[in-house]
Each structure stands twice: as C-alpha cells, then as structure tokens.
Amino acid sequence: MTGTSHIIGLLLGTEEDWPTAFGEILRRCGPVRGPRSDGAQDGSGENDRTGCDLHSFDIERITIEPFSLRDHPRYDLVIDRLAYWYYHPREWLKKVAMMDGVYLLNSPFTFQSMEKHAAYCAMIRLGLKVPETVLVPYKNPLDNSRYAYTASRYNQAFDLDAVAERIGYPMFMKPYDGGAWRGVSRINNAAELHAAYDASGEMLMHLQKAVDYDVFARSLSIGAETMVMKFQPDKPMHERYAVDHSFLPPGAGLEVQTIGRLVNAFFKWEFNSCETLVKGSEVYPIDYANACPDVALTSLHYYFPWAMKALVKWSVFALVTGRQAKLDLETDRYFAIADEPGISYGDKLAGYRKLADGYFETERYQDFCAARLPNLDQVVLEWVAGPAFDELLVTTVKSVYPEHEQDKFIAHLRGLLHLWVRDESARLAESH
Ligand SMILES: Nc1ncnc2c1ncn2[C@@H]1O[C@H](COP(=O)(O)OP(=O)(O)O)[C@@H](O)[C@H]1O
Ligand SMILES: [Mg+2]
C-alpha cells in the first residue's frame, strides 16, 4: 500500500492549548484513506491528485528565520495565528501561497487588503443590513511632511456634528481596520463624539450607527462548518460565550450562518469569526474580518471540542482531496445575484448560500468526513472525557490565570466540558 505524508505547519503566538488539542486529535485519528485504489468512487475523494491510499499527518511549529524566496517549504498546509500582526511570517506566507501552492488558513493576500472596511463595503454591495457607516478622515494627519502638504491643500474641512446627526445617536466610533476592541467607543452625544475623535489621533475611524439589539450572535467558521454562539460582550472573557442552543428566532439562525459563510466564501477566508446583532428577526452584521480568530480553550470552553474537530477535519479534507487555494475573488458571481432585478433579500441570501456552499464544497466535505473520518466524533469524545484532556485544561488555566483564581476557573471549565461530554454522548447515542 502506498502512502503520502503531509506536514501541517502552525504559525503560533503565545497559545499552547489549541495546538496541543489539534495535534492530539490528529494523532488519535490516525492515517486517513485517500481515493479507492480500485478506482471506484465514494463521493469523497474522486478528484484526489495524489493517487495514494493512506495519508498521514505530522505537525510542526514554524519558526521565524531567514528564507530565500526560492526555498521550497516543507509544509503542505499552514494554520496561521500570527501573520496579521507580524510582517516576517506574513511575507513568508505570501511567498509559499504564491510560489509553492501551500494551502493556507488564512491567506494574507485576502486579509491584508480586506480589513473591516472592505468587508463592510462588500456586504453592503451584496445588500446586507450593515448599519449606516461613515469613514471620517484622520484627526491628526500622519507625521510625514509630504502628507502634511497634501492634507493642508486637499483635505476638506468638515462638520463632524453634521455627519453624526445624519447617522443619529447613539453610534460607535471604531478603527476602520479594527480588532480586539482597540479604540472602540460608544458615542451618545456631541461632547462624547468630539472627545472620542480628538483621542483617535492617527487612527482612521468609522462612525457607525448603534444597533439596539436583542441578542449578539458570534459565529465561528472553519471551512464548511459554522458554529453560531450566543455572545455576551459585556461579560468577562470566560463568560462571553453562553451555552445556549436556541437563542435565535426561527430563520435568524440560518441567516447568521449564511452570512458567516458568505463573507468567508466571498473573501476566501476559511477560518474566521463573524459578529451579527439580531433585533427581532432582523440580522445586522457588524464585524466579520477576524483574521486570527480566538479559539482558546478558556474562551470557547464548551465549543472548544467542536472547533478542534472542525480544524482537523477541514485540514485533512483539504490535504487528502488536494483542494487548491484560489487567489482571485470572483466577485462578479456574487454581484450578479446582488444586481438581479426584483429579487428578494431572502432569495439573495439563498443564492449567496449556494455559491458559498459551492466554494466550500460543503456536500463533498460532509461525505468525506462520513466516509474517511467515521470515528472522529467518538475519538474526540473519549479524549475530552479522559485524563489527558483534563491535564490540558489544568495546564491551560495555570498559564492564563493568577494562582488565586486557578481553582475557580478549573472548576468552571470542567463543568462546561462535562456538559459538552454529556450532550455529545447523547447526540452520538441518538445518531446510532
Ligand atoms: N453598530 C454597532 N451597534 C452596537 N454595538 C456595536 C456596534 N459596533 C460595535 N459594537 C460593539 O462594540 C464591540 C466592538 O466592535 P467591533 O466592530 O466588533 O470591533 P473589533 O473589531 O475591535 O471587535 C462589538 O463587539 C459590539 O459590542
Ligand atoms: Mg468584534
């Protein structure tokens, strides 16, 4: 029997929890069958480019060091949590995507130019309910003598109060390329507006109408899978994701999921989170360009096993089926739906969903997981219920929280993971 081994590279910051979990699940899942050697098709790997029977996977943490632009990388797929913040790994990723066909979660080509602002533009263009948003010029011109000349000659004086009045209070002021709540403020009146604008300095800011929402839904998408979670932004980190399986009105759940998938397929992001505010049955997307989404055990808790499984499944699927990354965005396919005369919002969403599912090969992915990773759910359940996972949980809490809080957080996380084990056991029992 022939075999192909794949090396998955991880570009990491401070995290230890999810890389350990990801590696452990991949190891426990063992080699994965490629296309059938007798040539028969089972709907899950017929386009495989390798023609091999057994695929095995190794993980390596990528180090940062000089590289020749003509070097060939060792990796077949890279999961990146770093390049949004650091230029050297970002440029390395661009090189391996452009020259070596390495499969990336995510490609900096998509993320570097597609910050929050571009994502707003794209979703408004597609007819989504992005709240009224205005980009205002820098409060303080950049410290650059030529820019000062340009600014003094061409920047139009403008009436900030009039801009705000057109949007209407309350509103949010936030950086056009924001992340991690940096520089975000809620503005209730003109005095707060001016104070926040004066403080914005050299940050380029959006003003955005505040949505008076009932519920905040944050969805995490990994390839063809999406988990919609109830998010409580005012709570401390460990309580932000509430465990609640039916917090959205009928229809809104599917819409939130579709919006997450659509954004990702449109920009070709494969690992991203999307924030939507839901009022009644209306869904308003407000933040959906999160290049390095948080998947920490301490914040995802109950949803952590799902995220790790999805990451493993999507990586394995991409590698075994020889999925190719595309660098072009094919925006015209989406715009054609947006521009269809007389088409309803619901029909647009259905059209986008079809395109998104096509991009993510959703059906093929599901068939692949059922045929090639049939035991994964059971393997992960046993692991999460056992002592090795508990050790990871304890180590993670000890590295994140001060000593006097550790017992409390260990108990808190254990409780949530026990709940997951109970729910998952019931789910698996039911499906058998
Ligand atoms: N238009 C809005 N209406 C209501 N709340 C908002 C709005 N925009 C931002 N917020 C609040 O501010 C937080 C941070 O804004 P967000 O756009 O998500 O920026 P970041 O990219 O920094 O996460 C959101 O999680 C939400 O709680
Ligand atoms: Mg956000």
Side-chain angles (χ1 to χ4, degrees):
M1 188 177 280
T2 53
T4 299
S5 58
H6 303 273
I7 302 182
I8 297 177
L10 305 180
L11 263 173
L12 301 172
T14 53
E15 62 261 64
E16 289 294 335
D17 54 349
W18 79 261
T20 306
F22 179 76
E24 191 58 27
I25 294 173
L26 208 51
R27 189 180 70 73
R28 288 175 183 237
C29 125
V32 176
R33 203 162 41 79
R36 292 166 60 143
S37 46
D38 57 9
Q41 297 186 351
D42 62 6
S44 50
E46 57 276 21
N47 294 328
D48 191 287
R49 65 181 171 186
T50 59
C52 294
D53 284 320
L54 266 192
H55 294 251
S56 57
F57 306 91
D58 282 315
I59 292 182
E60 277 183 20
R61 294 182 180 212
I62 300 172
T63 49
I64 297 167
E65 51 194 294
F67 64 88
S68 160
L69 275 59
R70 290 190 172 79
D71 282 351
H72 292 293
R74 299 162 46 70
Y75 312 98
D76 301 299
L77 182 148
V78 172
I79 302 176
D80 162 55
R81 286 261 310 146
L82 204 58
Y84 186 72
W85 314 102
Y86 295 113
Y87 285 6
H88 188 280
R90 180 190 300 178
E91 298 312 312
W92 178 80
L93 282 173
K94 285 189 198 164
K95 173 245 174 317
V96 301
M98 178 74 90
M99 297 174 66
D100 309 298
V102 176
Y103 200 89
L104 304 181
L105 273 65
N106 289 295
S107 162
F109 282 116
T110 63
F111 262 109
Q112 195 157 20
S113 55
M114 303 304 167
E115 69 311 293
K116 184 182 276 178
H117 176 79
Y120 282 154
C121 297
M123 293 307 114
I124 292 172
R125 174 74 178 82
L126 296 183
L128 267 56
K129 297 167 187 162
V130 178
E132 180 58 20
T133 306
V134 172
L135 184 69
V136 287
Y138 287 112
K139 168 66 187 170
N140 297 338
L142 297 175
D143 189 11
N144 170 325
S145 56
R146 276 169 308 171
Y147 184 81
Y149 174 81
T150 309
S152 66
R153 177 142 188 211
Y154 296 110
N155 275 19
Q156 283 281 6
F158 67 99
D159 182 347
L160 186 62
D161 291 295
V163 172
E165 268 148 36
R166 276 196 296 276
I167 298 170
Y169 294 101
M171 69 187 71
F172 277 78
M173 183 181 289
K174 48 190 189 178
Y176 85 108
D177 58 348
W181 296 27
R182 174 181 54 89
V184 177
S185 50
R186 187 183 159 95
I187 312 274
N188 294 300
N189 52 49
E192 288 176 13
L193 173 72
H194 285 278
Y197 189 51
D198 289 347
S200 69
E202 294 186 0
M203 283 189 288
L204 188 58
M205 303 303 262
H206 281 134
L207 288 176
Q208 184 174 76
K209 174 93 185 141
V211 179
D212 168 29
Y213 60 92
D214 305 324
V215 59
F216 190 135
R218 195 162 207 260
S219 55
L220 178 61
S221 291
I222 298 171
E225 291 200 44
T226 305
M227 181 62 75
V228 179
M229 296 168 280
K230 182 174 176 185
F231 195 63
Q232 307 174 128
D234 303 331
K235 301 236 170 173
M237 201 64 185
H238 68 281
E239 285 177 22
R240 289 207 184 135
Y241 291 108
V243 180
D244 187 338
H245 304 303
S246 53
F247 65 97
L248 288 174
L254 183 66
E255 185 172 339
V256 168
Q257 198 189 60
T258 295
I259 291 172
R261 288 283 173 86
L262 162 63
V263 172
N264 290 357
F266 185 89
F267 287 114
K268 305 215 171 351
W269 297 333
E270 310 218 331
F271 184 23
N272 186 29
S273 60
C274 171
E275 297 179 355
T276 50
L277 305 177
V278 182
K279 174 79 176 166
S281 58
E282 305 279 306
V283 178
Y284 302 93
I286 56 143
D287 183 18
Y288 32 85
N290 297 299
C292 302
D294 170 31
V295 284
L297 170 58
T298 43
S299 51
L300 282 188
H301 51 76
Y302 179 93
Y303 299 103
F304 183 75
W306 168 81
M308 292 302 106
K309 265 197 282 189
L311 210 48
V312 165
K313 286 192 277 182
W314 186 250
S315 303
V316 168
F317 171 72
L319 287 172
V320 174
T321 62
R323 184 174 158 85
Q324 299 284 326
K326 294 199 183 86
L327 295 179
D328 49 333
L329 290 185
E330 309 170 288
T331 52
D332 51 340
R333 301 171 68 218
Y334 293 87
F335 294 160
I337 296 175
D339 295 342
E340 243 179 80
I343 185 174
S344 72
Y345 178 64
D347 287 345
K348 276 187 193 176
L349 283 187
Y352 298 146
R353 178 63 182 244
K354 224 171 149 188
L355 288 182
D357 282 336
Y359 172 71
F360 286 111
E361 307 179 88
T362 306
E363 218 171 291
R364 184 175 179 219
Y365 166 78
Q366 282 160 355
D367 290 346
F368 176 91
C369 293
R372 308 300 168 86
L373 298 165
N375 302 321
L376 188 69
D377 284 338
Q378 197 58 41
V379 164
V380 173
L381 177 60
E382 278 163 25
W383 177 58
V384 176
F389 183 86
D390 193 62
E391 206 180 305
L392 174 67
L393 185 154
V394 171
T395 314
T396 303
V397 169
K398 286 189 172 164
S399 71
V400 172
Y401 293 104
E403 205 173 335
H404 69 279
E405 288 188 325
Q406 290 172 0
D407 285 349
K408 181 180 94 184
F409 282 112
I410 289 170
H412 175 76
L413 273 179
R414 274 186 183 147
L416 287 158
L417 269 306
H418 283 163
L419 183 63
W420 180 81
V421 166
R422 200 195 64 192
D423 290 353
E424 179 71 353
S425 307
R427 186 182 75 84
L428 294 186
E430 213 167 273
S431 65
H432 282 128

